[in-house]
Amino acid sequence: MRKIFNFLLASAAALTLLAGCAKEDNRENVLKIYNWADYIDEDVLTEFKDWYKEQTGEDVTIIYQLFDINEIMLAKIERGHEDFDVVCPSDYIIERMLRNDLIIPIDRDFGDTPNYIDGNLSPYIIDCFNKIDGHGKNANDYAVGYMWGTTGIMYNEKFVTPEEASTWDILHNEKFKGKIFIKDAFRDVYGPVLIYLKNRDLAEGKVTLDELMYDSSDESIAMVEEYLKEAKKLIAGWEADFGKEMMTKEKAYVNLTWSGDAVWAIDEANQVGVKLNYVVPKEGSNVWFDGWVIPKYAKNVKAARYFINFMCRPDIAVRNMDATGYVSAIGSPEVLEAKTDPSLDEYVDVSYFFGEGADSVKINGIQYPDASVVARCAMMHDSGDRTEQLLEMWARVKGDNFNIWIVAVIVVAALVLVRIAMVSRKKKHRRHGKR
Ligand code: N2P
């Protein structure tokens, strides 16, 4: 259903784009947003237009486009110079965009309109954005946190025990052969696998989690590659966004995925009696952050700024969370109140996010991991020139999966098509000859 919706949304967006192209002079009334799929409450987009009109007296038309992979979005801006007004990269991509001068500072002067950004963003998010290494530029001036979460293992409780799921070694567990999906996000997979493989060094204090997040040495890449190639013998495939569906339909039992996807799938599965769960393995993992930025090729900076501001309004943040399963960067009391659920059994220490009084809150621990879980997670960083080596490793790992039979079928199909084309050409010639 979501796929169909996304398709319709993308088609509608494309149509709006065409309309926009027809009237070039209207570009200043168009807001081009480029966001992850399944990452917003769609009604919020319509409401933004009304709110923007109220605040500024100006009309705005939204073109909303979707991506599934950070690098695809980055390439459109870095190489394609596409004129998106606002996009939503992850932490390590924000780092790269800062280093490569691809984004502009976000001016927070909204005149009479309230500034929902400052004062509502959780101090935890601000601290983490301070750690984004922008070569002298502070990420908090150029990016505003949207959602965040962890990378972990979603599992089906009928087939997988919590112990089996609580180690990254599950990716090598023969018991789940053909029932594992891995997120098609090289950076989000590389980090946790490296943490797992370097677990002894971490325990012995030879390296810290943060240092590992910068490690893209040949030796580490080779270790991860070997581990993933072994894992590949067991996996059913790589997924950019269909892992949730595979899990709810019990076509897969294990999914290396993001916490928000897991929350959405757990909820969906529950309604059909399928029990899914999610854990951040004991060895540690990534904690990731996505934020709104304004690329330097943007054509409607004003609407982009207002849109980012609107996304930070606590009621809008809660609605986006409820629609997607992901967790907003907004840490205001309204959000804490909306997300506290007395019917839950667990108490979670979320003081790092909501402040001192929140050290024992009945709240969803997958969305808001306990402080002890966050302590074994670290943020990803851009690998600079080494990104190519990482991408090549990822391609080698995934490429081997390209079945020889698939190649054979493609070649045969191509030959058949060529043959058909030749025969119909000959017939045409003959017909022309007879005339
Ligand atoms: C949701 C995408 C989540 C992005 N489909 C995680 N960085």
Side-chain angles (χ1 to χ4, degrees), residues 8-77:
L8 291 176
L9 198 63
S11 313
L15 283 177
T16 327
L17 177 61
L18 287 177
C21 291
K23 290 192 209 162
E24 233 352 282
D25 53 341
N26 270 357
R27 180 59 179 91
E28 71 268 23
N29 299 118
V30 172
L31 174 66
K32 280 180 81 173
I33 305 168
Y34 198 23
N35 191 15
W36 295 84
D38 302 341
Y39 219 32
I40 204 161
D41 176 343
E42 300 86 23
D43 294 339
V44 154
L45 294 175
T46 321
E47 279 171 49
F48 170 70
K49 294 200 283 186
D50 299 339
W51 179 82
Y52 189 67
K53 174 93 184 173
E54 251 168 56
Q55 301 300 319
T56 64
E58 293 168 26
D59 288 309
V60 70
T61 304
I62 293 182
I63 294 174
Y64 191 72
Q65 282 180 256
L66 305 171
F67 63 88
D68 276 324
I69 295 178
N70 263 312
E71 286 66 26
I72 291 182
M73 176 273 297
L74 178 67
K76 288 208 178 180
I77 292 163

Side-chain angles (χ1 to χ4, degrees), residues 36-39 90 258 261 288 290 326:
W36 295 84
D38 302 341
Y39 219 32
S90 300
W258 297 309
D261 271 20
W288 52 262
D290 295 336
Y326 281 89

Side-chain angles (χ1 to χ4, degrees), residues 2 6 35-40 67-68 70 88-92 147-151 183 185 188 240-241 244 258-261 288-290 324 326 380:
R2 286 197 147 217
N6 285 342
N35 191 15
W36 295 84
D38 302 341
Y39 219 32
I40 204 161
F67 63 88
D68 276 324
N70 263 312
C88 190
S90 300
D91 35 38
Y92 70 100
M147 300 280 185
W148 67 285
T150 55
T151 304
K183 188 61 78 191
D188 302 65
D241 74 347
K244 299 175 272 193
W258 297 309
S259 45
D261 271 20
W288 52 262
F289 307 89
D290 295 336
T324 64
Y326 281 89
M380 298 177 282

Side-chain angles (χ1 to χ4, degrees), residues 27 32 73-87 97 100-104 293-301 304:
R27 180 59 179 91
K32 280 180 81 173
M73 176 273 297
L74 178 67
K76 288 208 178 180
I77 292 163
E78 196 166 36
R79 281 188 263 135
H81 298 189
E82 284 208 30
D83 65 345
F84 295 111
D85 297 306
V86 56
V87 299
M97 291 179 121
N100 293 353
D101 279 328
L102 291 172
I103 50 182
I104 60 170
V293 298
I294 304 181
K296 69 172 177 192
Y297 308 109
K299 297 246 166 62
N300 193 349
V301 172

